[in-house]
Amino acid sequence: MVAVLSGLSGQTKEWSFKECLSRAIYKNIDVNQSRLNCGLNEINYAQSVANFFPTLNASDAQAFNFGRTLDPFTYQFTNQNFATNNASLNANAVVFNGFLYLNTIRQNRFFYDASILDVERIKNDLTLNVMTAYLQVLFNYEAVQIAQKQAEATLEQVERTSKYVNAGKLPESNLLQIQAQLSSDKLAIVMAGNQLQLAKVVLLQLMETPVYSGFEIERPDISNLSPSALLNPAEIYKTAEGIMPQVMGAAFNTEAALTGTKIAKSLYLPKLSLGASLRSGYSSNSSRLNYYSGYQLGSIGFLQNNPAEQVIGPVPVNGVIRNNYPMSDQFSDNFGQVISLNLSIPIFNNFQARYAMQKAKINVALSTQSEQAVKNNLRKSIEQAYTDLVGSGNKYLAAEEELSSEERAYKDMEKKYALGLSSSVDYLIEKNNFLKAEQSVLQSKYDYLFKIKVIDFYMGKPVSF
């Protein structure tokens, strides 16, 4: 019926409620996914804080030019193939952007805090589920014990009736009726055992643990059910409202939505940023020009009396010599710095600011409604739990009173049946009434215990047994 978990099948450990809950929280996929989502929100929050810091970026671009190209350093067109390299270091800082970064930090902080509380909400839901499953296992433990006790009592009657039938004091039909009841009691043991195994399976599945045959839990003493003085539902709700993570998380989401309206408002405001850069570059087409001037002998005219005869004299000469221009020298000579202030004033932006503000206001309304819905659901749950607790307590007291009466009647019937003063039919009827009373007490006891724990949970008390 049950699978065996390797390495755990021979285990005799009895799991406490605290251990079951700790394992369930550690292994639960929803809890772990919520924690990961919380980690993402934490990163978003850290990034929004980092947005305040100025940016600093270095760049380097190497280019190869072919055909007629404008040399970016000589500003002359050339048909030669050449290579260029441009390097820069750029910094930028936002001076004012309509408080966009500040409000984004606040909003992301609200989202982060809400995600932390969402983890706690999921853990709380899991706690209630594990508590329900744990109590169900305890209930079925006692149900098996009651079934076994009833079978033992019936077996004694079978043995006693068999002696009376053999002695001729009772008809054989009495023995057959008691034996039939014994078979019914044995079936009840099997059914109770099956229910116990199913309850263990549910608990193990909540613990995300493969089912194994040796799983047992501790059986605390819960005979004394005496809850502390009950507050009224309004007082319980007032306490729960201040500690339940779903309420506080919804409040953070509302604050985040309100901050969203301030972020949308920043789209209407001008933005000012400060920029600075260091730049330099190199071109393989560049060369170092050396200018020279001097004199050389040459014709400076003709004789006035003889125009055919040249006059030789010093003639001024100017020229340019192209020398190699090393890359290091080019980077040094082309080095430049820039400082800039950039102002952006929104005039028309396709109604982006208007629609962003409208959406932000709708998000505020949605978040406010969601927060109120969470509070309403909590109040309704507490009112229901309180009413259930009162009704369950009354039912438990009535069931105990009924059991006390049925127990006295059953013992009286046992004596009469042993003396032959009552029939087996009357005995079996009384026995079944007593069994029903015992089962009623068992069910009402665990139902009452569960309701007590639910109210304690809303009051912020740790769930324990």
Side-chain angles (χ1 to χ4, degrees):
M1 176 181 174
V2 295
V4 177
L5 178 64
S6 176
L8 293 177
S9 59
Q11 175 174 316
T12 57
K13 168 185 174 59
E14 290 186 347
W15 291 71
S16 67
F17 172 77
K18 184 178 180 181
E19 291 170 331
C20 292
L21 180 60
S22 296
R23 186 176 183 87
I25 291 174
Y26 175 74
K27 301 276 286 184
N28 186 263
I29 299 298
D30 290 337
V31 172
N32 290 324
Q33 286 181 335
S34 182
R35 284 172 174 158
L36 292 173
N37 185 60
C38 182
L40 291 176
N41 285 319
E42 183 180 13
I43 293 172
N44 290 336
Y45 169 66
Q47 179 62 67
S48 61
V49 173
N51 286 339
F52 265 116
F53 303 151
T55 60
L56 180 64
N57 297 285
S59 65
D60 184 80
Q62 180 73 29
F64 299 94
N65 302 272
F66 307 92
R68 181 174 173 80
T69 309
L70 178 66
D71 189 320
F73 297 101
T74 64
Y75 295 102
Q76 294 179 351
F77 284 98
T78 178
N79 288 318
Q80 296 180 357
N81 298 339
F82 66 97
T84 60
N85 184 278
N86 294 275
S88 65
L89 185 66
N90 304 291
N92 189 71
V94 175
V95 179
F96 179 77
N97 62 356
F99 307 107
L100 173 64
Y101 287 170
L102 181 62
N103 288 316
T104 300
I105 289 174
R106 291 172 178 170
Q107 186 180 55
N108 286 335
R109 180 67 200 196
F110 287 133
F111 284 141
Y112 174 45
D113 290 339
S115 64
I116 293 175
L117 292 168
D118 193 55
V119 175
E120 295 304 312
R121 177 190 62 79
I122 296 175
K123 288 167 64 175
N124 282 350
D125 293 342
L126 184 60
T127 298
L128 289 176
N129 291 334
V130 172
M131 180 183 71
T132 302
Y134 194 86
L135 287 175
Q136 190 63 42
V137 175
L138 292 178
F139 168 83
N140 284 291
Y141 273 140
E142 291 200 34
V144 170
Q145 291 176 350
I146 290 175
Q148 289 174 340
K149 185 177 68 173
Q150 291 295 332
E152 291 170 0
T154 304
L155 179 60
E156 291 179 2
Q157 292 298 334
V158 168
E159 294 172 351
R160 184 181 296 114
T161 303
S162 178
K163 292 178 182 179
Y164 288 158
V165 170
N166 292 334
K169 292 184 178 180
L170 292 174
E172 188 177 4
S173 60
N174 282 24
L175 178 60
L176 295 175
Q177 289 174 334
I178 297 298
Q179 288 175 336
Q181 181 63 44
L182 179 60
S183 298
S184 178
D185 290 346
K186 290 180 179 179
L187 176 61
I189 294 175
V190 173
M191 294 177 65
N194 289 340
Q195 292 300 315
L196 175 59
Q197 293 303 320
L198 289 174
K200 289 181 179 179
V201 168
V202 172
L203 180 55
L204 282 167
Q205 288 177 344
L206 285 172
M207 294 164 60
E208 298 294 342
T209 301
V211 177
Y212 65 97
S213 59
F215 177 69
E216 300 290 342
I217 66 172
E218 292 181 356
R219 307 182 197 183
D221 182 15
I222 56 174
S223 57
N224 184 22
L225 296 180
S226 54
S228 56
L230 285 179
L231 302 174
N232 60 54
E235 292 172 322
I236 297 173
Y237 171 73
K238 184 177 180 180
T239 300
E241 186 182 18
I243 60 176
M244 286 293 106
Q246 62 266 34
V247 176
M248 294 186 288
F252 281 132
N253 285 328
T254 299
E255 290 295 331
L258 288 169
T259 308
T261 61
K262 298 178 181 179
I263 293 175
K265 185 178 179 180
S266 66
L267 298 177
Y268 287 104
L269 301 177
K271 297 171 179 59
L272 180 65
S273 62
L274 174 66
S277 65
L278 305 175
R279 300 173 182 174
S280 189
Y282 155 82
S283 172
S284 63
N285 193 43
S286 295
S287 57
R288 179 170 285 160
L289 303 179
N290 291 325
Y291 297 91
Y292 67 89
S293 61
Y295 294 90
Q296 66 180 14
L297 293 177
S299 175
I300 60 174
F302 299 90
L303 291 176
Q304 185 175 5
N305 59 359
N306 187 4
E309 186 175 351
Q310 294 182 345
V311 176
I312 304 300
V315 177
V317 177
N318 296 313
V320 178
I321 300 177
R322 291 181 176 272
N323 295 323
N324 181 43
Y325 201 169
M327 179 184 292
S328 59
D329 291 347
Q330 287 194 47
F331 272 109
S332 176
D333 294 342
N334 292 330
F335 180 71
Q337 308 90 37
V338 176
I339 296 178
S340 62
L341 276 175
N342 301 295
L343 178 64
S344 174
I345 302 174
I347 298 175
F348 178 75
N349 54 12
N350 304 108
F351 303 108
Q352 292 181 13
R354 176 190 296 181
Y355 294 139
M357 179 62 74
Q358 290 176 357
K359 289 192 289 186
K361 290 180 179 179
I362 292 175
N363 284 330
V364 170
L366 288 172
S367 297
T368 302
Q369 291 293 322
S370 296
E371 181 182 0
Q372 189 59 50
V374 169
K375 292 180 179 179
N376 290 346
N377 290 334
L378 177 63
R379 175 182 55 78
K380 293 174 184 177
S381 297
I382 290 174
E383 291 171 346
Q384 183 67 46
Y386 180 86
T387 304
D388 288 343
L389 176 60
V390 174
S392 180
N394 294 334
K395 181 180 177 180
Y396 179 48
L397 293 176
E400 282 193 321
E401 185 177 349
E402 180 188 18
L403 177 61
S404 178
S405 301
E406 289 294 343
E407 185 176 15
R408 290 194 299 269
Y410 175 61
K411 289 181 178 180
D412 182 64
M413 181 58 69
E414 275 189 319
K415 294 177 182 178
K416 290 180 179 180
Y417 182 72
L419 297 174
L421 300 177
S422 66
S423 66
S424 58
V425 174
D426 293 335
Y427 168 75
L428 293 177
I429 291 174
E430 191 57 48
K431 181 178 182 298
N432 287 331
N433 289 338
F434 176 64
L435 175 60
K436 290 179 181 178
E438 278 192 315
Q439 292 173 339
S440 178
V441 167
L442 179 63
Q443 290 175 347
S444 59
K445 179 177 71 172
Y446 277 95
D447 183 63
Y448 186 45
L449 176 61
F450 175 75
K451 299 300 191 304
I452 292 173
K453 295 299 181 181
V454 169
I455 293 297
D456 288 344
F457 170 78
Y458 285 128
M459 294 294 293
K461 299 178 182 179
V463 178
S464 61
F465 296 99

Short mmCIF file of all heavy atoms in Angstrom, two decimals, residues 59-63 84-87:
data_model
loop_
_atom_site.label_atom_id
_atom_site.label_comp_id
_atom_site.label_asym_id
_atom_site.label_seq_id
_atom_site.Cartn_x
_atom_site.Cartn_y
_atom_site.Cartn_z
N SER A 59 35.33 53.31 -23.93
CA SER A 59 35.06 52.72 -25.24
C SER A 59 36.28 52.86 -26.13
O SER A 59 37.09 53.78 -25.97
CB SER A 59 33.84 53.38 -25.89
OG SER A 59 34.10 54.74 -26.18
N ASP A 60 36.40 51.93 -27.06
CA ASP A 60 37.50 51.98 -28.02
C ASP A 60 36.97 51.40 -29.33
O ASP A 60 36.42 50.29 -29.35
CB ASP A 60 38.69 51.18 -27.52
CG ASP A 60 39.88 51.29 -28.46
OD1 ASP A 60 40.58 52.31 -28.40
OD2 ASP A 60 40.08 50.35 -29.27
N ALA A 61 37.12 52.15 -30.43
CA ALA A 61 36.59 51.73 -31.73
C ALA A 61 37.71 51.73 -32.76
O ALA A 61 38.38 52.76 -32.95
CB ALA A 61 35.46 52.64 -32.17
N GLN A 62 37.92 50.60 -33.38
CA GLN A 62 38.91 50.47 -34.45
C GLN A 62 38.17 50.37 -35.78
O GLN A 62 37.22 49.59 -35.90
CB GLN A 62 39.76 49.21 -34.23
CG GLN A 62 40.82 48.96 -35.28
CD GLN A 62 42.00 49.92 -35.15
OE1 GLN A 62 42.31 50.39 -34.07
NE2 GLN A 62 42.62 50.23 -36.28
N ALA A 63 38.57 51.17 -36.77
CA ALA A 63 37.89 51.18 -38.06
C ALA A 63 38.91 51.11 -39.19
O ALA A 63 40.04 51.64 -39.06
CB ALA A 63 37.03 52.45 -38.22
N THR A 84 41.68 53.85 -38.39
CA THR A 84 41.53 54.83 -37.33
C THR A 84 41.18 54.11 -36.03
O THR A 84 40.64 53.00 -36.03
CB THR A 84 40.42 55.85 -37.64
OG1 THR A 84 39.18 55.15 -37.80
CG2 THR A 84 40.74 56.63 -38.89
N ASN A 85 41.49 54.75 -34.93
CA ASN A 85 41.15 54.23 -33.61
C ASN A 85 40.68 55.40 -32.76
O ASN A 85 41.36 56.42 -32.68
CB ASN A 85 42.35 53.54 -32.96
CG ASN A 85 41.98 52.90 -31.63
OD1 ASN A 85 41.94 53.57 -30.62
ND2 ASN A 85 41.74 51.60 -31.66
N ASN A 86 39.51 55.24 -32.15
CA ASN A 86 38.94 56.29 -31.29
C ASN A 86 38.71 55.71 -29.90
O ASN A 86 38.01 54.70 -29.74
CB ASN A 86 37.61 56.79 -31.84
CG ASN A 86 37.78 57.51 -33.17
OD1 ASN A 86 38.07 58.68 -33.21
ND2 ASN A 86 37.59 56.78 -34.27
N ALA A 87 39.28 56.33 -28.90
CA ALA A 87 39.13 55.90 -27.51
C ALA A 87 38.52 57.03 -26.71
O ALA A 87 38.81 58.21 -26.94
CB ALA A 87 40.47 55.50 -26.92
#
